[in-house]
Amino acid sequence: MGNKIGKIKASILGAALMGTTATSAMADGMEFETVADLLHLVMSSDRTVYTRMVVNRLANEEGVITASEHFVDDKALVLPAQMFRFGAEMVAENTDEFSYSLLSLWPINKQNAPTTPMEEEGLQYINDNPGENFYGVEELGGDEYFTAVYADVAVAPACYTCHNEHKDSPRTDFEGGDVMGGVVIRIPVN
């Protein structure tokens, strides 16, 4: 049974990476939750690798280069949150089958604050229930969306020191492993 599930997950993940749409996966009998979970697995893995192996190593451990929100002017590394947003923007340019964003109850950049009741509820839920994800359906602009919210956790000192030391940060007491925000994935239901 476990091997069959592994094969199903691998084929779904492969399809997602090769451009098969989330809606196509639903047509093949996959649950919205499963598709969102697999999309998040890829996003979270890439984000963690970039944060730990590039930003934290080069900026914090080796001090070779800095990371900055003004990366072009400062000739610095792109911050992990910016890298994530750039990926989300590129996906949005290429498909309307799903979207994702990084939001927080304590955003440094106000555009990363929750804007819908479900985003607010989901972010509060993952903060109050460590290790659990939030799932729901919401209506936006007359269309229904399956919405999933996953904890965005401080995986390296580069995460929490940046937030704790930023002049615009509304919260300055983050530690490793803390929930700093959430990844919101939306898949159209129709």
Side-chain angles (χ1 to χ4, degrees):
M1 178 79 170
N3 192 22
K4 182 178 179 184
I5 292 171
K7 288 180 183 177
I8 291 170
K9 287 183 179 180
S11 66
I12 294 164
L13 184 57
L17 293 173
M18 295 180 69
T20 300
T21 64
T23 305
S24 296
M26 256 54 75
D28 292 336
M30 287 193 50
E31 304 265 337
F32 286 107
E33 184 176 318
T34 302
V35 172
D37 287 352
L38 292 172
L39 288 169
H40 178 257
L41 177 62
V42 173
M43 293 171 198
S44 176
S45 297
D46 286 347
R47 181 166 158 75
T48 299
V49 166
Y50 179 72
T51 301
R52 287 182 179 163
M53 299 180 128
V54 177
V55 176
N56 197 66
R57 182 178 65 82
L58 294 176
N60 288 19
E61 294 172 7
E62 297 178 17
V64 176
I65 188 171
T66 61
S68 169
E69 64 191 307
H70 307 289
F71 59 92
V72 173
D73 294 335
D74 295 344
K75 295 181 179 23
L77 293 172
V78 173
L79 295 174
Q82 291 171 307
M83 178 72 86
F84 196 80
R85 187 184 77 236
F86 296 152
E89 290 169 353
M90 185 172 280
V91 165
E93 290 172 5
N94 289 290
T95 187
D96 59 1
E97 297 294 331
F98 76 98
S99 64
Y100 66 97
S101 59
L102 182 61
L103 304 178
S104 179
L105 296 172
W106 315 278
I108 290 174
N109 184 331
K110 300 304 179 207
Q111 76 179 13
N112 297 327
T115 59
T116 70
M118 184 154 290
E119 289 173 349
E120 179 86 31
E121 180 182 357
L123 290 170
Q124 191 62 58
Y125 182 86
I126 61 169
N127 187 62
D128 295 343
N129 299 280
E132 294 186 30
N133 304 324
F134 175 88
Y135 306 100
V137 176
E138 65 183 327
E139 185 178 318
L140 300 171
D143 294 318
E144 277 196 339
Y145 293 87
F146 174 82
T147 301
V149 183
Y150 303 87
D152 185 56
V153 177
V155 296
C159 302
Y160 55 87
T161 56
C162 178
H163 279 257
N164 290 343
E165 295 173 2
H166 196 284
K167 66 181 178 60
D168 297 326
S169 184
R171 181 174 166 189
T172 59
D173 63 345
F174 287 112
E175 296 177 358
D178 283 353
V179 173
M180 300 180 73
V183 175
V184 178
I185 298 176
R186 283 198 176 85
I187 302 171
V189 172
N190 302 334

